[in-house]
Amino acid sequence: MFWALTTVISLHLAAGLASSKPATPADTAPKSSWQQVSPYDSPAYDIDAERQLLDMANADRAKAGLPALKMDVGLVRAARAHAAQMAAQKQISHQFSGELALPQRISANSTLHLQRAGENVAVATTAEDAHQALMSSPPHRDNLLSSNFNVAGIGAFRSGKRIYVAQDFGSSVMTYSVQQAQEVVASSVEQLRAQSRLPRLQRVNDGSTQSSACAMAHADSLSGAPPSPGAYVLRYTSMQPETLPANISKVIAQRGLHTYSAGTCYARTQKYPNGAFWVVLLFY
């Protein structure tokens, strides 16, 4: 019996916004953390504006009872590169001709394991102006105040009297090694059996299960021949290997099963540019 299951990594993009209302923002964040971020040696990146935009975002998140966004070096690089592109084009957009899309831009700059990502873009005369305009727009406000996002990178590129702003958001999840991922998948299987008041399954180390998971990742597809004839085969992708897909519980809770094998492989692919675990479970 063959099962193909997938957990889709969601991506949310918000529309751009232009504004020109002048204002004078506060400056409270330490400078050193931002000065070490950019691989670009350009005074056009407005480090003060970037800090102010993160400070104002986190102040509004605090008012809404939300945890602060943590600055990520890789996301800042991605945001700065896009802000520079907008300044060069003299317009705001989420993607220009010849430019990578948001998931690929983030993947090229950040090593984070992201479950979802989002972006705000704006052009304004001050950081406070940009923030107020973004907060006044429901889709942009939703990104800034999303409980799903826990990391961010902000790029502000100054061109004349304007600053072009890109805010890249992410939902960063725990990072596991391949071996750790296999262990948490196995633990989840055993917990589900215990909750169903069924006998514990014997776990076997089957190298073909691991090879099958990596073959799926290499092919960027859940399709493929079962690694072991006569076994129940469950295949899926996930950014959180500790959580089993809900619709496979009936298979794991079958009484006729005695042994199982788990294989995982982490890879960044075209379908999952920010990475995903490819998982194979065999039951006998």
Side-chain angles (χ1 to χ4, degrees):
M1 188 175 182
F2 174 74
W3 291 70
L5 304 171
T6 183
T7 301
V8 178
I9 299 176
S10 60
L11 175 66
H12 303 288
L13 296 179
L17 180 67
S19 177
S20 59
K21 178 182 175 183
T24 303
D27 182 4
T28 58
K31 295 182 180 181
S32 58
S33 60
W34 289 94
Q35 291 171 334
Q36 297 169 1
V37 167
S38 180
Y40 317 108
D41 185 16
S42 171
Y45 291 105
D46 193 330
I47 298 174
D48 288 340
E50 292 169 351
R51 292 199 323 272
Q52 292 159 13
L53 284 161
L54 183 62
D55 288 344
M56 289 184 287
N58 282 334
D60 282 327
R61 288 176 66 87
K63 291 177 184 177
L66 297 169
L69 295 168
K70 294 182 179 179
M71 186 270 287
D72 175 69
V73 169
L75 291 181
V76 173
R77 290 194 186 105
R80 283 182 173 177
H82 187 60
Q85 281 281 350
M86 292 193 296
Q89 299 289 336
K90 293 182 169 43
Q91 61 178 306
I92 57 173
S93 174
H94 287 292
Q95 185 179 11
F96 295 101
S97 177
E99 184 186 28
L100 295 175
L102 177 63
Q104 286 73 29
R105 293 203 309 270
I106 291 176
S107 177
N109 287 280
S110 176
T111 59
L112 290 177
H113 289 192
L114 297 181
Q115 190 172 22
R116 57 177 58 83
E119 183 176 74
N120 286 344
V121 294
V123 59
T125 55
T126 69
E128 187 175 56
D129 172 22
H131 178 74
Q132 290 178 352
L134 290 167
M135 285 294 290
S136 297
S137 168
H140 299 86
R141 180 186 177 92
D142 287 347
N143 273 349
L144 285 162
L145 300 184
S146 174
S147 60
N148 291 321
F149 295 139
N150 54 16
V151 290
I154 298 174
F157 192 96
R158 184 162 292 282
S159 178
K161 295 182 179 180
R162 293 185 172 187
I163 51 172
Y164 289 83
V165 175
Q167 298 175 325
D168 288 348
F169 306 98
S171 174
S172 179
V173 296
M174 186 177 296
T175 301
Y176 294 100
S177 68
V178 170
Q179 185 60 42
Q180 288 172 331
Q182 288 182 7
E183 294 303 317
V184 297
V185 168
S187 177
S188 296
V189 169
E190 292 165 5
Q191 288 178 15
L192 193 152
R193 293 282 296 186
Q195 290 169 1
S196 300
R197 297 183 179 181
L198 292 171
R200 182 172 181 173
L201 300 176
Q202 179 184 357
R203 182 182 173 189
V204 296
N205 293 320
D206 186 345
S208 65
T209 312
Q210 177 68 24
S211 298
S212 179
C214 289
M216 289 194 312
H218 181 73
D220 203 7
S221 172
L222 291 173
S223 301
S228 181
Y232 288 98
V233 183
L234 301 179
R235 307 176 188 227
Y236 61 94
T237 58
S238 176
M239 279 304 302
Q240 296 175 294
E242 69 274 16
T243 303
L244 296 171
N247 52 349
I248 72 172
S249 59
K250 290 183 179 180
V251 176
I252 298 175
Q254 290 191 46
R255 293 185 176 277
L257 302 178
H258 302 284
T259 61
Y260 79 101
S261 176
T264 65
C265 194
Y266 181 84
R268 294 189 173 198
T269 66
Q270 184 175 355
K271 290 181 181 177
Y272 302 98
N274 295 120
F277 282 99
W278 298 74
V279 183
V280 175
L281 286 170
L282 296 184
F283 296 92
Y284 306 87

